[in-house]
Amino acid sequence: MTRRTEWPGSDAEPAPDPGAGPDYGTGSGAGFGEGAGRRARSRSRSSGSPSSSRAEKGEPRDPVEQARNVCLRLLTGTPRTRKQLADALRKREIPDEAAEEVLSRFEDVGLIDDAAFADAWVESRHHGRGLARRALVRELRTKGVDSAVIDEAIGQLDSEQEEETARELVARKLRSTRGLDRDRRLRRLAGMLARKGYGEGMALRVVRQALEEEGEDTEGIDEPF
């Protein structure tokens, strides 16, 4: 008797009696339907267009949307200047018009604020690292902050506060120089202040006073080091 069964690729082809022909459930014919399914799925995945692939990955095709996403990612957790963000967009080959539109919009809503960035930078780097005004100006310039904005932020520090910070730096470093001769102590302490942006005159004055308090002979120490 002939029975009817469903086979891939046919709605109702008659299947021979199992005893009359090859065993379709074993050997090379086994898993035919499963293999065809895998090939079909593979063709379906590979036939997708590049645009649909980008969409699946969540990558926006609109350059303005790309620029917005880049800026939001970079601003997460830390403020950045407009120049820093503009450089990042240029590196990612975002068109200038799209970059300008997004950067201006972010400034309008306060997500980019170079003045606030400069104020926070001066506060953090002076009290946290002991940097003097000269070093702070140099750092803010490298970040693209406008000169007028830098001047306003640096105005937070006056010469008295700057000198007091220099004294604190020397006091912390002084112990590690004990045992050295006076001139080596001078060079080491004054050099540390110079690297942090303090002027030569202030550095010599602060170091001389610190050494005098320890009983060092400071005669001739006013000469440039």
Side-chain angles (χ1 to χ4, degrees):
M1 180 181 70
T2 299
R3 58 187 175 84
R4 303 180 70 83
T5 187
E6 298 292 328
W7 292 90
S10 174
D11 294 332
E13 292 180 3
D17 187 272
D23 184 0
Y24 289 92
T26 61
S28 61
F32 172 81
E34 180 182 354
R38 283 198 300 267
R39 288 194 295 272
R41 288 192 296 271
S42 176
R43 285 195 300 271
S44 176
R45 286 193 297 267
S46 63
S47 63
S49 65
S51 60
S52 64
S53 176
R54 287 195 300 268
E56 289 173 2
K57 293 180 181 179
E59 298 178 5
R61 287 168 290 177
D62 178 17
V64 171
E65 186 65 21
Q66 288 179 327
R68 184 181 297 113
N69 288 348
V70 169
C71 289
L72 288 174
R73 284 198 301 270
L74 292 174
L75 288 169
T76 300
T78 180
R80 297 177 189 267
T81 65
R82 178 174 178 132
K83 181 181 184 300
Q84 287 178 303
L85 294 172
D87 289 345
L89 295 178
R90 192 174 300 110
K91 184 176 180 180
R92 289 164 174 79
E93 298 183 348
I94 302 295
D96 291 343
E97 289 186 4
E100 181 66 25
E101 177 180 339
V102 171
L103 293 172
S104 296
R105 176 57 180 164
F106 274 37
E107 276 189 328
D108 290 343
V109 300
L111 291 175
I112 300 175
D113 189 337
D114 281 4
F117 177 94
D119 289 343
W121 189 267
V122 169
E123 176 73 17
S124 172
R125 300 287 282 177
H126 178 72
H127 294 291
R129 296 289 302 278
L131 297 188
R133 287 175 291 184
R134 186 166 57 184
L136 293 168
V137 168
R138 186 167 55 248
E139 289 187 340
L140 288 171
R141 282 176 178 166
T142 65
K143 295 184 180 301
V145 180
D146 184 76
S147 295
V149 175
I150 292 176
D151 291 343
E152 185 72 22
I154 294 298
Q156 298 178 43
L157 301 176
D158 56 32
S159 58
E160 291 183 2
Q161 183 177 356
E162 192 175 49
E163 185 164 333
E164 179 60 29
T165 301
R167 295 183 191 282
E168 293 173 359
L169 291 169
V170 170
R172 290 201 294 267
K173 187 77 172 176
L174 198 62
R175 179 178 297 180
S176 67
T177 67
R178 289 172 185 160
L180 302 176
D181 62 61
R182 189 203 70 175
D183 289 344
R184 290 184 67 187
R185 297 185 80 186
L186 168 64
R187 288 194 297 270
R188 184 165 297 185
L189 294 169
M192 177 268 294
L193 291 179
R195 288 191 297 273
K196 291 182 178 291
Y198 293 89
E200 183 179 283
M202 180 183 290
L204 284 173
R205 182 170 64 252
V206 169
V207 172
R208 177 175 184 171
Q209 290 173 352
L211 293 177
E212 285 177 346
E213 290 173 1
E214 289 205 338
E216 287 274 13
D217 178 11
T218 59
E219 184 179 354
I221 207 171
D222 288 333
E223 298 176 1
F225 57 90

